[in-house]
């Protein structure tokens, strides 16, 4: 398996719409993972930033949203080769 396509490849899909759907679901997953990690990181951030917990939590959530947006753009990019390590959504059966 080629390493380069696996590192910079886009979401699988036969059409741009299929790529967008898969990219959206993956970006949502990334956002949920980022928000889950925001809870413990906000506690440490209060010490580093000298701010309140909820203000630091807000910064961590903003970072999660930015991460999800970048993930979406990466997965939706048609100019990148398709990532051979990923597969499209499975058909309901």
């Amino acid at each position: 398996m080629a390493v380069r396509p696996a590192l910079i490849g886009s979401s699988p899909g036969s059409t741009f719409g299929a790529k967008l759907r898969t990219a959206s679901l993956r970006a949502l997953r990334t956002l949920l993972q980022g928000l889950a990690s925001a809870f413990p990181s906000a506690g440490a951030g209060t010490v580093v930033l000298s701010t309140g917990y909820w203000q630091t939590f807000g910064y961590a959530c903003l970072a999660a949203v930015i991460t999800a947006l970048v993930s979406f753009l990466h997965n939706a990019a048609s100019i990148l080769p398709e990532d051979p390590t990923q597969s499209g959504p499975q058909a309901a059966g």
Side-chain angles (χ1 to χ4, degrees):
M1 175 180 312
V3 173
R4 187 174 178 197
L7 292 178
I8 63 168
S10 65
S11 291
S14 56
T15 65
F16 186 66
K19 283 184 177 282
L20 284 180
R21 179 172 166 20
T22 304
S24 296
L25 293 172
R26 290 185 176 161
L28 178 60
R29 179 185 64 200
T30 301
L31 176 61
L32 294 175
Q33 291 167 342
L35 291 176
S37 69
F39 281 101
S41 66
T46 58
V47 175
V48 175
L49 299 175
S50 299
T51 61
Y53 178 85
W54 289 109
Q55 187 176 8
T56 306
F57 179 74
Y59 293 138
C61 288
L62 177 61
V65 169
I66 293 170
T67 301
L69 179 62
V70 170
S71 172
F72 171 78
L73 294 174
H74 180 188
N75 282 306
S78 292
I79 61 170
L80 297 175
E82 191 169 290
D83 181 352
T85 67
Q86 300 183 32
S87 61
Q90 302 299 317

